[in-house]
Amino acid sequence: QVQLVESGGGSVQAGGSLRLSCAPSRRAIELDCMGWFRQAPGKEREGVAAIDVDGSTYYAESVKGRFTISKDRDTNSLILQMNSLKPEDTGMYYCGTPGLWQRCLGSRPAAHYNYWGQGTQVTVSS
């Protein structure tokens, strides 16, 4: 069983930055595909970014050039650095993993992810 705990959400004005963290319990960060998703009210959960076991990264078109996903092995954390935030980036952000030893091999949809954190709210005002 993998437990994920997100932190780092908050409220910022458009153009600002936020850094989200996700720490898996009892599991080394580099062993599995991990991703960030977001969900706005009334909308489906959508993929934002993912990072594979070999370090390959995948981004949604809407965040390319603004968001960076990475793994911090010192703290065993998944990081999402979000810059140049826009109001449309507002939503609940979740980190997740498809499961133990799973690879990303591209941008897998939310239905392929079996473990999720509780989410952290990001609000961007114009």
Side-chain angles (χ1 to χ4, degrees), residues 36-81:
W36 286 99
F37 287 72
R38 66 187 179 192
Q39 189 167 19
K43 294 188 176 182
E44 293 187 353
R45 192 170 296 190
E46 64 172 357
V48 175
I51 185 166
D52 217 332
V53 173
D54 63 358
S56 299
T57 55
Y58 311 94
Y59 294 94
E61 285 295 326
S62 60
V63 307
K64 280 184 179 178
R66 301 188 296 122
F67 291 11
T68 303
I69 189 171
S70 62
K71 294 178 179 179
D72 185 337
R73 287 172 176 78
D74 290 339
T75 60
N76 197 46
S77 297
L78 179 70
I79 305 297
L80 184 68
Q81 179 65 44

Side-chain angles (χ1 to χ4, degrees), residues 65-114:
R66 301 188 296 122
F67 291 11
T68 303
I69 189 171
S70 62
K71 294 178 179 179
D72 185 337
R73 287 172 176 78
D74 290 339
T75 60
N76 197 46
S77 297
L78 179 70
I79 305 297
L80 184 68
Q81 179 65 44
M82 305 186 294
N83 299 327
S84 302
L85 282 161
K86 304 176 181 180
E88 51 264 42
D89 294 319
T90 294
M92 187 70 78
Y93 281 68
Y94 300 89
C95 74
T97 178
L100 306 183
W101 310 110
Q102 295 277 330
R103 296 286 307 275
C104 295
L105 300 176
S107 297
R108 299 176 69 170
H112 288 195
Y113 281 64
N114 294 303

